Amino acid sequence: GLLSRSLRLSDSTETGVGVVAAADIPAGALLVRSPAPLCVTAARARADPGVGPLLLRAEATGPAVDDNVAMAAFLMRAVDVPPPELAPWIRALPASFDLPLTWSEPELLQ
């Protein structure tokens, strides 16, 4: 399997869907195995035909693009043009987030 027997899936009304420890986990234990084609990495973002050229152009006129920014750009494009192997995961992502970063001044004061 892809998930260690020390973990279990959890669906909580308080914290949402996630993975929690089901047993003690020894140091160095392998917990999750993910096939490389399903991983979103900075290298994948830079190799993407839709994102890579944009990152190269940005770096040609300024500092190197941070790996996290490269992955974020890849994910933003993947919402509109999902790679087939990531399409089910992309469709499962929430369409919006309620984050303090996006709150108005009155909402922050509440």
Side-chain angles (χ1 to χ4, degrees):
L2 299 176
L3 197 60
S4 164
R5 291 184 183 155
S6 297
L7 302 175
R8 69 177 173 78
L9 297 176
S10 172
D11 188 359
S12 165
T13 56
E14 293 176 16
T15 58
V17 176
V19 177
V20 296
D24 288 340
I25 300 170
L30 177 64
L31 299 177
V32 178
R33 188 180 309 260
S34 180
L38 299 180
C39 294
V40 175
T41 65
R44 181 179 188 160
R46 293 177 194 289
D48 183 80
V51 174
L54 297 174
L55 298 174
L56 285 174
R57 264 195 309 228
E59 291 177 334
T61 60
V65 174
D66 180 81
D67 287 349
N68 291 321
V69 172
M71 289 185 290
F74 174 83
L75 290 171
M76 286 188 288
R77 181 171 189 271
V79 169
D80 291 329
V81 185
E85 68 279 8
L86 295 181
W89 177 69
I90 296 291
R91 283 193 305 269
L93 293 174
S96 63
F97 299 94
D98 184 22
L99 301 173
L101 182 64
T102 63
W103 293 354
S104 66
E105 190 66 32
E107 288 172 316
L108 288 170
L109 294 173
Q110 290 182 3

